[in-house]
Structures are given as C-alpha cells and as structure tokens.
Coordinates of all heavy atoms in Angstrom, one line a residue:
M1 N 8.3 -7.5 21.0 CA 9.5 -7.1 20.4 C 9.9 -5.7 20.9 O 11.1 -5.4 21.0 CB 9.4 -7.1 18.9 CG 9.4 -8.5 18.3 SD 9.4 -8.4 16.5 CE 7.9 -9.2 16.2
A2 N 8.9 -4.9 21.2 CA 9.2 -3.6 21.8 C 9.8 -3.7 23.1 O 10.8 -3.0 23.5 CB 8.0 -2.7 21.8
R3 N 9.3 -4.7 23.9 CA 9.9 -4.9 25.3 C 11.3 -5.5 25.2 O 12.1 -5.1 26.1 CB 8.9 -5.8 26.1 CG 7.7 -5.1 26.5 CD 6.9 -6.0 27.5 NE 5.7 -5.2 27.9 CZ 4.5 -5.6 27.6 NH1 4.2 -6.7 26.9 NH2 3.5 -4.9 28.1
N4 N 11.6 -6.4 24.3 CA 12.9 -7.0 24.3 C 13.9 -6.2 23.4 O 15.0 -6.7 23.3 CB 12.8 -8.5 24.0 CG 12.5 -8.8 22.6 OD1 12.7 -7.9 21.7 ND2 12.0 -10.0 22.3
G5 N 13.5 -5.2 22.8 CA 14.4 -4.3 22.0 C 14.7 -4.8 20.6 O 15.6 -4.2 20.0
T6 N 13.9 -5.7 20.1 CA 14.2 -6.2 18.7 C 13.3 -5.5 17.6 O 13.6 -5.7 16.5 CB 14.0 -7.7 18.6 OG1 12.7 -8.1 19.0 CG2 15.0 -8.4 19.5
A7 N 12.3 -4.8 18.0 CA 11.3 -4.2 17.1 C 12.0 -3.3 16.1 O 11.8 -3.4 14.9 CB 10.2 -3.5 17.8
G8 N 12.9 -2.4 16.6 CA 13.6 -1.4 15.7 C 14.4 -2.1 14.7 O 14.5 -1.7 13.5
E9 N 15.2 -3.1 15.1 CA 16.1 -3.8 14.2 C 15.3 -4.5 13.1 O 15.6 -4.4 11.9 CB 16.9 -4.9 14.9 CG 17.7 -5.7 14.1 CD 18.4 -6.9 14.8 OE1 18.5 -6.9 16.0 OE2 18.7 -7.9 14.1
I10 N 14.2 -5.2 13.5 CA 13.3 -5.9 12.5 C 12.7 -4.9 11.5 O 12.6 -5.1 10.3 CB 12.3 -6.8 13.1 CG1 13.1 -7.9 13.9 CG2 11.3 -7.4 12.1 CD1 12.2 -8.8 14.8
I11 N 12.1 -3.8 12.1 CA 11.5 -2.7 11.2 C 12.6 -2.2 10.2 O 12.3 -2.0 9.1 CB 10.9 -1.6 12.1 CG1 9.7 -2.1 12.8 CG2 10.6 -0.4 11.2 CD1 9.1 -1.2 13.9
S12 N 13.8 -2.0 10.7 CA 14.8 -1.5 9.8 C 15.1 -2.5 8.7 O 15.3 -2.1 7.5 CB 16.1 -1.2 10.6 OG 15.9 -0.1 11.4
R13 N 15.2 -3.8 9.0 CA 15.4 -4.8 8.0 C 14.3 -4.8 7.0 O 14.6 -4.9 5.8 CB 15.6 -6.2 8.7 CG 16.9 -6.4 9.4 CD 17.0 -7.8 10.0 NE 16.7 -8.8 9.0 CZ 16.3 -10.1 9.4 NH1 16.2 -10.4 10.7 NH2 16.1 -11.0 8.5
V14 N 13.1 -4.7 7.4 CA 11.9 -4.8 6.5 C 12.0 -3.5 5.6 O 11.8 -3.7 4.4 CB 10.6 -4.8 7.3 CG1 9.4 -4.6 6.3 CG2 10.5 -6.1 8.1
I15 N 12.2 -2.4 6.2 CA 12.3 -1.1 5.4 C 13.4 -1.2 4.4 O 13.3 -0.8 3.2 CB 12.4 0.1 6.3 CG1 11.1 0.3 7.0 CG2 12.7 1.4 5.4 CD1 11.2 1.4 8.1
D16 N 14.6 -1.7 4.8 CA 15.7 -1.8 3.9 C 15.4 -2.8 2.7 O 15.9 -2.6 1.6 CB 17.0 -2.3 4.6 CG 17.6 -1.3 5.5 OD1 17.3 -0.1 5.4 OD2 18.4 -1.7 6.4
D17 N 14.6 -3.8 3.0 CA 14.3 -4.8 2.0 C 13.2 -4.2 1.0 O 13.3 -4.4 -0.2 CB 13.7 -6.1 2.6 CG 13.6 -7.2 1.6 OD1 14.5 -7.5 0.9 OD2 12.4 -7.7 1.5
I18 N 12.2 -3.6 1.5 CA 11.1 -3.0 0.7 C 11.5 -1.7 0.0 O 11.1 -1.5 -1.2 CB 9.8 -2.8 1.5 CG1 9.4 -4.2 2.1 CG2 8.7 -2.2 0.7 CD1 8.2 -4.1 3.1
K19 N 12.3 -0.9 0.6 CA 12.7 0.4 0.0 C 11.5 1.3 -0.4 O 11.4 1.7 -1.5 CB 13.7 0.2 -1.1 CG 15.0 -0.5 -0.8 CD 15.8 -0.8 -2.0 CE 17.1 -1.5 -1.6 NZ 17.1 -2.5 -0.6
P20 N 10.7 1.6 0.6 CA 9.5 2.5 0.3 C 10.0 3.9 -0.1 O 11.1 4.3 0.4 CB 8.7 2.5 1.6 CG 9.7 2.2 2.7 CD 10.7 1.3 2.0
E21 N 9.2 4.6 -0.9 CA 9.5 5.9 -1.2 C 9.4 6.8 0.1 O 10.2 7.7 0.2 CB 8.6 6.4 -2.3 CG 8.8 5.8 -3.6 CD 7.8 6.2 -4.6 OE1 7.5 7.4 -4.7 OE2 7.3 5.4 -5.4
S22 N 8.4 6.5 0.9 CA 8.3 7.1 2.2 C 7.5 6.2 3.1 O 6.8 5.3 2.7 CB 7.6 8.5 2.1 OG 6.3 8.3 1.5
I23 N 7.7 6.4 4.4 CA 7.0 5.6 5.4 C 6.8 6.5 6.6 O 7.7 7.3 7.0 CB 7.7 4.3 5.8 CG1 6.9 3.4 6.7 CG2 9.1 4.6 6.3 CD1 7.4 2.0 6.9
Y24 N 5.6 6.4 7.2 CA 5.2 7.2 8.4 C 4.5 6.3 9.4 O 3.7 5.5 9.0 CB 4.2 8.3 8.0 CG 4.7 9.2 6.9 CD1 4.5 9.0 5.6 CD2 5.5 10.3 7.3 CE1 5.0 9.8 4.6 CE2 6.1 11.1 6.3 CZ 5.8 10.9 5.0 OH 6.3 11.7 4.0
F25 N 4.9 6.3 10.6 CA 4.3 5.5 11.6 C 3.3 6.3 12.4 O 3.5 7.5 12.7 CB 5.4 5.0 12.6 CG 6.4 4.1 11.9 CD1 7.5 4.5 11.3 CD2 6.1 2.7 11.7 CE1 8.4 3.7 10.6 CE2 6.9 1.9 11.0 CZ 8.1 2.3 10.5
S26 N 2.2 5.6 12.7 CA 1.0 6.3 13.2 C 0.2 5.3 14.0 O 0.5 4.1 14.1 CB 0.2 7.0 12.1 OG -0.9 7.6 12.6
E27 N -1.0 5.7 14.4 CA -2.0 4.9 15.0 C -3.1 4.6 14.0 O -3.4 5.5 13.2 CB -2.6 5.6 16.2 CG -3.8 5.0 16.8 CD -5.1 5.3 16.1 OE1 -5.2 6.3 15.4 OE2 -6.0 4.5 16.2
Q28 N -3.6 3.4 13.9 CA -4.7 3.1 13.0 C -5.7 2.2 13.8 O -5.3 1.1 14.2 CB -4.2 2.4 11.8 CG -3.3 3.3 10.9 CD -2.8 2.5 9.7 OE1 -2.8 1.3 9.6 NE2 -2.4 3.3 8.7
D29 N -6.8 2.7 14.0 CA -7.9 2.0 14.7 C -7.4 1.5 16.1 O -7.8 0.4 16.5 CB -8.4 0.8 13.9 CG -9.0 1.2 12.5 OD1 -9.7 2.3 12.5 OD2 -8.8 0.6 11.5
G30 N -6.7 2.3 16.8 CA -6.3 2.0 18.1 C -5.1 1.0 18.2 O -4.7 0.5 19.2
H31 N -4.4 0.8 17.1 CA -3.3 -0.1 17.0 C -2.1 0.6 16.4 O -2.2 1.6 15.7 CB -3.6 -1.4 16.1 CG -4.7 -2.1 16.6 ND1 -4.6 -3.1 17.6 CD2 -6.0 -2.1 16.3 CE1 -5.8 -3.6 17.9 NE2 -6.7 -3.1 17.0
R32 N -0.9 0.1 16.6 CA 0.3 0.6 15.9 C 0.1 0.5 14.5 O -0.5 -0.5 14.0 CB 1.5 -0.1 16.3 CG 1.9 0.1 17.8 CD 3.2 -0.7 18.1 NE 3.6 -0.5 19.4 CZ 3.5 -1.4 20.4 NH1 2.8 -2.6 20.1 NH2 3.9 -1.2 21.6
G33 N 0.5 1.5 13.7 CA 0.3 1.4 12.3 C 1.4 2.2 11.5 O 2.2 2.9 12.1
A34 N 1.4 2.0 10.2 CA 2.3 2.6 9.3 C 1.6 2.9 8.0 O 0.7 2.2 7.6 CB 3.5 1.8 9.1
I35 N 2.0 4.0 7.4 CA 1.6 4.3 6.0 C 2.8 4.3 5.2 O 3.8 5.1 5.5 CB 0.8 5.6 6.0 CG1 -0.4 5.6 6.9 CG2 0.5 6.0 4.6 CD1 -0.9 6.9 7.3
M36 N 2.8 3.5 4.2 CA 4.1 3.3 3.4 C 3.7 3.6 1.9 O 2.7 3.0 1.4 CB 4.6 1.9 3.6 CG 5.9 1.6 3.0 SD 6.6 0.0 3.6 CE 5.3 -1.1 3.2
V37 N 4.5 4.4 1.2 CA 4.3 4.6 -0.2 C 5.4 3.8 -0.9 O 6.6 4.0 -0.7 CB 4.5 6.1 -0.5 CG1 4.4 6.4 -2.0 CG2 3.5 7.0 0.3
V38 N 4.9 2.9 -1.8 CA 5.7 2.0 -2.5 C 5.3 1.9 -4.0 O 4.1 1.8 -4.3 CB 5.6 0.5 -1.9 CG1 6.5 -0.4 -2.6 CG2 5.9 0.6 -0.4
E39 N 6.3 2.0 -4.8 CA 6.0 1.8 -6.3 C 5.9 0.3 -6.5 O 6.8 -0.5 -6.3 CB 7.2 2.3 -7.1 CG 7.1 2.1 -8.6 CD 6.2 3.2 -9.3 OE1 6.1 4.3 -8.7 OE2 5.7 2.8 -10.3
V40 N 4.7 -0.1 -7.0 CA 4.5 -1.5 -7.3 C 4.2 -1.6 -8.8 O 3.1 -1.2 -9.2 CB 3.3 -2.1 -6.5 CG1 3.0 -3.5 -6.8 CG2 3.5 -1.9 -5.0
S41 N 5.1 -2.1 -9.5 CA 4.9 -2.2 -11.0 C 4.2 -3.5 -11.4 O 3.7 -3.5 -12.5 CB 6.3 -2.2 -11.7 OG 7.1 -3.2 -11.2
D42 N 4.1 -4.5 -10.5 CA 3.4 -5.7 -10.9 C 2.8 -6.2 -9.6 O 3.4 -6.2 -8.5 CB 4.4 -6.7 -11.4 CG 3.8 -8.0 -11.9 OD1 3.1 -8.6 -11.2 OD2 4.1 -8.3 -13.1
A43 N 1.6 -6.7 -9.7 CA 0.8 -7.2 -8.5 C 1.5 -8.4 -7.8 O 1.4 -8.6 -6.6 CB -0.6 -7.6 -8.9
S44 N 2.4 -9.1 -8.5 CA 3.1 -10.2 -7.9 C 4.1 -9.7 -6.9 O 4.6 -10.6 -6.1 CB 3.8 -11.0 -9.0 OG 4.8 -10.3 -9.6
A45 N 4.4 -8.4 -6.8 CA 5.3 -7.9 -5.8 C 4.6 -7.7 -4.5 O 5.3 -7.5 -3.4 CB 5.9 -6.6 -6.3
I46 N 3.3 -7.8 -4.4 CA 2.6 -7.5 -3.2 C 3.0 -8.4 -2.1 O 3.2 -8.0 -0.9 CB 1.0 -7.5 -3.4 CG1 0.7 -6.2 -4.3 CG2 0.3 -7.5 -2.1 CD1 -0.7 -6.2 -4.8
P47 N 3.1 -9.8 -2.3 CA 3.5 -10.6 -1.2 C 4.9 -10.2 -0.6 O 5.0 -10.3 0.6 CB 3.5 -12.0 -1.8 CG 2.5 -11.9 -2.9 CD 2.7 -10.5 -3.4
S48 N 5.8 -9.8 -1.4 CA 7.1 -9.4 -0.9 C 7.1 -8.2 0.0 O 7.9 -7.9 0.8 CB 8.1 -9.3 -2.0 OG 7.8 -8.2 -2.8
I49 N 6.0 -7.4 -0.2 CA 5.8 -6.2 0.6 C 5.1 -6.5 1.9 O 5.4 -6.1 3.0 CB 5.0 -5.1 -0.2 CG1 5.8 -4.7 -1.4 CG2 4.6 -3.9 0.7 CD1 5.1 -3.9 -2.4
A50 N 4.1 -7.4 1.8 CA 3.2 -7.7 2.9 C 3.8 -8.7 3.9 O 3.7 -8.6 5.1 CB 1.8 -8.1 2.5
E51 N 4.4 -9.8 3.3 CA 4.8 -10.9 4.2 C 5.7 -10.5 5.3 O 5.6 -11.1 6.4 CB 5.4 -12.0 3.3 CG 4.4 -12.9 2.6 CD 3.4 -13.6 3.5 OE1 3.8 -14.1 4.6 OE2 2.2 -13.6 3.1
P52 N 6.7 -9.7 5.1 CA 7.6 -9.3 6.2 C 6.8 -8.8 7.4 O 7.1 -9.1 8.6 CB 8.6 -8.3 5.7 CG 8.6 -8.6 4.2 CD 7.2 -9.0 3.9
W53 N 5.8 -8.0 7.1 CA 4.9 -7.4 8.2 C 4.0 -8.5 8.8 O 3.9 -8.6 10.0 CB 4.1 -6.3 7.6 CG 4.9 -5.2 7.1 CD1 5.1 -4.8 5.8 CD2 5.7 -4.2 7.8 NE1 5.9 -3.8 5.6 CE2 6.4 -3.4 6.8 CE3 6.0 -4.0 9.1 CZ2 7.2 -2.4 7.2 CZ3 6.9 -3.0 9.5 CH2 7.5 -2.2 8.6
F54 N 3.5 -9.4 8.0 CA 2.6 -10.5 8.5 C 3.5 -11.4 9.4 O 3.1 -11.7 10.5 CB 2.1 -11.3 7.3 CG 1.1 -10.7 6.4 CD1 0.9 -11.1 5.1 CD2 0.2 -9.7 6.9 CE1 0.0 -10.5 4.3 CE2 -0.7 -9.1 6.0 CZ -0.8 -9.5 4.7
L55 N 4.6 -11.8 8.9 CA 5.4 -12.8 9.6 C 6.1 -12.3 10.8 O 6.2 -13.0 11.8 CB 6.5 -13.4 8.6 CG 6.0 -14.2 7.4 CD1 7.1 -14.5 6.5 CD2 5.3 -15.4 7.8
N56 N 6.5 -11.1 10.8 CA 7.2 -10.5 12.0 C 6.3 -9.9 13.0 O 6.6 -9.9 14.2 CB 8.3 -9.5 11.5 CG 9.4 -10.2 10.8 OD1 10.2 -11.0 11.4 ND2 9.6 -10.0 9.5
F57 N 5.2 -9.3 12.6 CA 4.4 -8.5 13.5 C 2.9 -8.9 13.5 O 2.1 -8.2 14.1 CB 4.5 -7.0 13.1 CG 5.9 -6.5 13.2 CD1 6.7 -6.3 12.1 CD2 6.4 -6.1 14.4 CE1 8.0 -5.8 12.2 CE2 7.7 -5.6 14.6 CZ 8.5 -5.5 13.4
E58 N 2.5 -10.0 12.7 CA 1.1 -10.4 12.6 C 0.3 -9.2 12.2 O -0.8 -8.9 12.7 CB 0.6 -11.0 13.9 CG 1.3 -12.3 14.2 CD 0.8 -13.0 15.5 OE1 -0.1 -12.4 16.1 OE2 1.4 -14.0 15.8
A59 N 0.8 -8.4 11.3 CA 0.2 -7.1 10.9 C -1.0 -7.3 10.0 O -1.1 -8.4 9.3 CB 1.2 -6.3 10.1
N60 N -1.8 -6.4 9.9 CA -3.0 -6.3 9.0 C -2.5 -5.3 7.9 O -2.3 -4.1 8.2 CB -4.2 -5.8 9.7 CG -5.4 -5.6 8.8 OD1 -5.4 -6.2 7.7 ND2 -6.3 -4.8 9.2
C61 N -2.4 -5.7 6.7 CA -1.9 -4.9 5.6 C -3.1 -4.6 4.6 O -3.8 -5.5 4.3 CB -0.8 -5.5 4.8 SG 0.7 -5.8 5.8
E62 N -3.2 -3.3 4.3 CA -4.2 -2.9 3.3 C -3.4 -2.2 2.2 O -2.5 -1.4 2.5 CB -5.2 -2.0 3.9 CG -6.1 -2.7 5.0 CD -7.1 -1.7 5.6 OE1 -7.4 -0.7 4.9 OE2 -7.6 -2.1 6.7
F63 N -3.9 -2.3 1.0 CA -3.2 -1.7 -0.2 C -4.2 -0.7 -0.8 O -5.4 -1.1 -1.0 CB -2.7 -2.7 -1.2 CG -1.6 -3.5 -0.6 CD1 -1.8 -4.6 0.2 CD2 -0.3 -3.2 -0.9 CE1 -0.8 -5.4 0.7 CE2 0.8 -3.9 -0.4 CZ 0.5 -5.0 0.4
R64 N -3.7 0.4 -1.2 CA -4.5 1.4 -1.9 C -3.8 1.8 -3.2 O -2.6 2.0 -3.2 CB -4.7 2.7 -1.1 CG -5.4 2.6 0.2 CD -6.9 2.4 0.0 NE -7.6 2.5 1.3 CZ -7.8 1.4 2.1 NH1 -7.3 0.3 1.8 NH2 -8.5 1.6 3.2
I65 N -4.5 1.8 -4.3 CA -3.9 2.2 -5.6 C -3.9 3.7 -5.7 O -4.9 4.3 -5.4 CB -4.7 1.6 -6.8 CG1 -4.8 0.1 -6.6 CG2 -4.1 2.0 -8.1 CD1 -3.5 -0.7 -6.7
A66 N -2.8 4.3 -6.1 CA -2.7 5.7 -6.3 C -2.2 6.0 -7.7 O -1.4 5.2 -8.2 CB -1.8 6.4 -5.2
M67 N -2.7 7.1 -8.3 CA -2.3 7.4 -9.6 C -1.7 8.8 -9.6 O -2.1 9.7 -8.9 CB -3.5 7.4 -10.6 CG -4.1 6.1 -10.8 SD -5.4 6.1 -12.0 CE -6.7 7.0 -11.0
T68 N -0.8 9.0 -10.5 CA -0.3 10.4 -10.8 C -1.3 11.1 -11.7 O -2.1 10.4 -12.4 CB 1.1 10.4 -11.5 OG1 0.9 9.8 -12.8 CG2 2.1 9.6 -10.7
P69 N -1.2 12.4 -11.9 CA -2.1 13.0 -12.9 C -1.9 12.4 -14.3 O -2.9 12.3 -15.0 CB -1.7 14.5 -12.8 CG -1.2 14.7 -11.4 CD -0.5 13.4 -11.1
D70 N -0.7 12.1 -14.7 CA -0.4 11.5 -16.0 C -1.2 10.1 -16.1 O -1.7 9.8 -17.1 CB 1.0 11.3 -16.2 CG 1.8 12.6 -16.5 OD1 1.1 13.6 -16.9 OD2 3.0 12.6 -16.4
D71 N -1.1 9.3 -15.0 CA -1.8 8.0 -15.0 C -3.3 8.3 -15.3 O -3.9 7.6 -16.1 CB -1.7 7.3 -13.7 CG -0.2 6.9 -13.4 OD1 0.5 6.6 -14.4 OD2 0.1 6.8 -12.2
L72 N -3.9 9.2 -14.6 CA -5.3 9.5 -14.7 C -5.6 10.0 -16.1 O -6.7 9.6 -16.7 CB -5.7 10.6 -13.7 CG -7.2 10.9 -13.6 CD1 -8.0 9.6 -13.3 CD2 -7.5 12.0 -12.6
M73 N -4.8 10.8 -16.7 CA -5.0 11.2 -18.1 C -5.0 10.0 -19.1 O -5.8 10.0 -20.0 CB -4.0 12.3 -18.5 CG -4.1 13.6 -17.7 SD -5.7 14.3 -17.7 CE -5.8 14.9 -19.4
R74 N -4.1 9.1 -18.9 CA -4.1 7.9 -19.7 C -5.3 7.0 -19.6 O -5.6 6.2 -20.5 CB -2.8 7.1 -19.5 CG -1.5 7.8 -20.0 CD -0.3 6.8 -20.1 NE 0.0 6.2 -18.8 CZ 0.7 6.8 -17.8 NH1 1.3 8.0 -18.0 NH2 1.0 6.1 -16.7
A75 N -6.0 7.2 -18.5 CA -7.2 6.3 -18.3 C -8.4 6.7 -19.3 O -9.3 5.9 -19.5 CB -7.7 6.5 -16.9
N76 N -8.3 7.9 -19.9 CA -9.2 8.3 -20.9 C -10.7 8.3 -20.3 O -11.5 7.6 -20.8 CB -9.2 7.5 -22.2 CG -9.8 8.2 -23.4 OD1 -10.5 9.2 -23.2 ND2 -9.5 7.8 -24.6
L77 N -10.9 9.2 -19.3 CA -12.2 9.3 -18.7 C -13.3 9.6 -19.6 O -14.4 9.1 -19.5 CB -12.1 10.3 -17.5 CG -11.2 9.8 -16.4 CD1 -11.2 10.9 -15.3 CD2 -11.7 8.5 -15.8
A78 N -13.0 10.4 -20.6 CA -14.1 10.8 -21.6 C -14.6 9.6 -22.3 O -15.8 9.4 -22.6 CB -13.6 11.9 -22.6
K79 N -13.7 8.7 -22.8 CA -14.1 7.5 -23.5 C -14.9 6.6 -22.5 O -15.9 6.0 -23.0 CB -12.9 6.8 -24.0 CG -13.2 5.5 -24.8 CD -11.9 4.9 -25.4 CE -12.3 3.7 -26.2 NZ -11.1 3.1 -26.8
L80 N -14.5 6.5 -21.3 CA -15.3 5.7 -20.3 C -16.7 6.3 -20.1 O -17.6 5.5 -20.0 CB -14.5 5.6 -19.0 CG -13.3 4.7 -19.0 CD1 -12.5 4.9 -17.8 CD2 -13.6 3.3 -19.2
A81 N -16.7 7.6 -20.0 CA -18.0 8.2 -19.8 C -19.0 7.9 -21.0 O -20.2 7.7 -20.8 CB -17.9 9.7 -19.6
E82 N -18.4 8.0 -22.2 CA -19.2 7.7 -23.4 C -19.7 6.3 -23.4 O -20.8 6.0 -23.7 CB -18.3 8.0 -24.6 CG -19.1 7.7 -25.9 CD -18.2 8.0 -27.1 OE1 -17.4 9.0 -27.1 OE2 -18.3 7.2 -28.1
K83 N -18.8 5.3 -23.0 CA -19.1 3.9 -23.0 C -20.3 3.6 -22.0 O -21.1 2.8 -22.3 CB -17.9 3.1 -22.6 CG -18.2 1.6 -22.4 CD -16.9 0.9 -22.0 CE -17.2 -0.6 -21.8 NZ -16.0 -1.4 -21.5
W84 N -20.3 4.3 -20.9 CA -21.3 4.1 -19.9 C -22.4 5.2 -19.9 O -23.1 5.3 -18.9 CB -20.6 4.0 -18.5 CG -19.7 2.8 -18.5 CD1 -18.4 2.8 -18.7 CD2 -20.1 1.4 -18.3 NE1 -17.9 1.5 -18.6 CE2 -19.0 0.6 -18.3 CE3 -21.4 0.8 -18.1 CZ2 -19.0 -0.7 -18.2 CZ3 -21.4 -0.6 -17.9 CH2 -20.2 -1.3 -17.9
S85 N -22.6 5.9 -20.9 CA -23.5 7.0 -21.0 C -25.0 6.5 -20.9 O -25.8 7.3 -20.5 CB -23.3 7.8 -22.2 OG -23.6 7.1 -23.4
D86 N -25.2 5.3 -21.2 CA -26.6 4.8 -21.1 C -27.1 4.4 -19.7 O -28.2 4.1 -19.5 CB -26.8 3.6 -22.1 CG -26.0 2.4 -21.7 OD1 -24.9 2.6 -21.2 OD2 -26.5 1.3 -21.9
V87 N -26.1 4.4 -18.8 CA -26.4 4.1 -17.4 C -26.8 5.4 -16.6 O -26.0 6.3 -16.6 CB -25.2 3.4 -16.7 CG1 -25.6 3.1 -15.2 CG2 -24.9 2.1 -17.5
H88 N -27.9 5.4 -16.0 CA -28.4 6.6 -15.3 C -28.4 6.3 -13.8 O -28.9 5.3 -13.4 CB -29.8 7.0 -15.8 CG -29.8 7.4 -17.3 ND1 -29.3 8.5 -17.7 CD2 -30.2 6.6 -18.3 CE1 -29.4 8.5 -19.1 NE2 -29.9 7.4 -19.4
V89 N -27.8 7.2 -13.1 CA -27.8 7.2 -11.6 C -29.2 7.4 -11.1 O -29.8 8.4 -11.5 CB -26.8 8.1 -11.0 CG1 -26.7 8.1 -9.5 CG2 -25.4 7.9 -11.6
V90 N -29.6 6.6 -10.2 CA -30.9 6.8 -9.6 C -30.9 7.7 -8.4 O -30.0 7.7 -7.6 CB -31.5 5.4 -9.2 CG1 -32.9 5.6 -8.6 CG2 -31.6 4.5 -10.4

C-alpha cells in the first residue's frame, strides 16, 4: 500500500472511524507501528478498534489498560491490601 499510494488514505479512514484521543506512528520490534490512545468504555468495542488494522494491514494489535488517578483511587487499594494481607511474598 505504501508503494501504490493507498496507505495514507486507508490510515486516514481508520483514524476517522476510531477517533483516537491521540495517535503516534513509530517503530515496534523492527516493524511499522503505532501507539493509539482510545477511550474504551466497554470491552465489546475492542473489535471495532482492532479489525480495521487487522483487515487492512494484517497488523498485530496489543491493548493496554490505563487509569487516571481518580480511577486508581476508586480501586480502593487499602481494602485490597487488607483482603490479601495473609499472603506473604517469598
């Protein structure tokens, strides 16, 4: 697609459809890559994010969960620590 000039058009269509908060193109493990920040409110949205990359570019997609400080505070780490206090790290 890079050789025939269609890569840019397809990438633009995918970005317009997914509407990431931000996207950066880079190298990953010696291959073309991208890092995209997307708000995913429901796991069922993951195929609509990944499939355009799979179908058009045979891409390898990985997802990382990220939290805001408020999200982390709602996790109640103190309660989790109490729940698992009987487990000792070796």
Side-chain angles (χ1 to χ4, degrees):
M1 285 186 245
R3 287 191 176 113
N4 71 21
T6 60
E9 175 190 339
I10 294 170
I11 289 170
S12 291
R13 284 180 55 201
V14 172
I15 292 170
D16 287 345
D17 189 57
I18 296 171
K19 296 177 181 37
E21 293 178 40
S22 60
I23 186 167
Y24 303 93
F25 294 93
S26 180
E27 171 279 335
Q28 292 181 343
D29 299 321
H31 301 277
R32 291 180 179 103
I35 300 160
M36 190 168 53
V37 177
V38 180
E39 177 81 26
V40 180
S41 58
D42 188 304
S44 67
I46 292 172
S48 66
I49 296 166
E51 283 301 321
W53 301 108
F54 292 152
L55 295 171
N56 290 294
F57 298 101
E58 297 180 1
N60 177 22
C61 298
E62 296 180 19
F63 291 82
R64 301 284 190 273
I65 305 297
M67 294 182 288
T68 65
D70 288 340
D71 294 332
L72 185 58
M73 296 305 291
R74 285 194 307 274
N76 198 346
L77 293 178
K79 184 176 180 180
L80 290 168
E82 182 180 321
K83 176 180 179 178
W84 295 99
S85 65
D86 64 327
V87 178
H88 298 284
V89 178
V90 179

